[in-house]
Amino acid sequence: MGKAIGLREDFDGAALRRLSRMTRSANQARRLLALAEIYDGGSRSAAARIGGVGLQIVRDWVLRFNARGPDGLLDGKAPGPRSRLN
């Protein structure tokens, strides 16, 4: 079994909870609260329960958070065809 991917060291659980209160995106807030659980010593399974997802999704959130910080947990625009209207 592999080793868990660590989280960035420039944040902590309290900072992520503070950010989750300030965001306008409910999905980002849910993801931040799940990661705050990991920072506070909780298990990844507990974070998955808080986020309402599976362990693989929590791993994806950790990777996005490590790469881009809290903004990495925002929903992106889905790729698709270019708009025909201008």
Side-chain angles (χ1 to χ4, degrees):
M1 190 160 165
K3 186 173 168 108
I5 298 169
L7 287 166
R8 295 169 63 141
E9 295 183 10
D10 53 343
F11 287 95
D12 61 355
L16 292 186
R17 285 189 175 82
R18 206 170 19 260
L19 287 171
S20 72
R21 284 192 302 269
M22 295 180 349
T23 185
R24 292 178 170 248
S25 170
N27 287 335
Q28 184 188 26
R30 178 173 53 95
R31 294 168 188 151
L32 287 168
L33 290 173
L35 294 183
E37 175 68 20
I38 297 171
Y39 270 116
D40 291 340
S43 68
R44 305 260 169 147
S45 297
R49 271 193 302 278
I50 289 170
V53 296
L55 289 173
Q56 182 64 43
I57 301 297
V58 171
R59 179 187 176 277
D60 294 342
W61 291 349
V62 169
L63 292 174
R64 288 169 48 188
F65 179 74
N66 284 343
R68 296 182 300 219
D71 290 337
L73 299 176
L74 285 169
D75 291 332
K77 184 175 183 320
R82 210 172 125 243
S83 177
R84 295 180 193 173
L85 300 175
N86 58 12

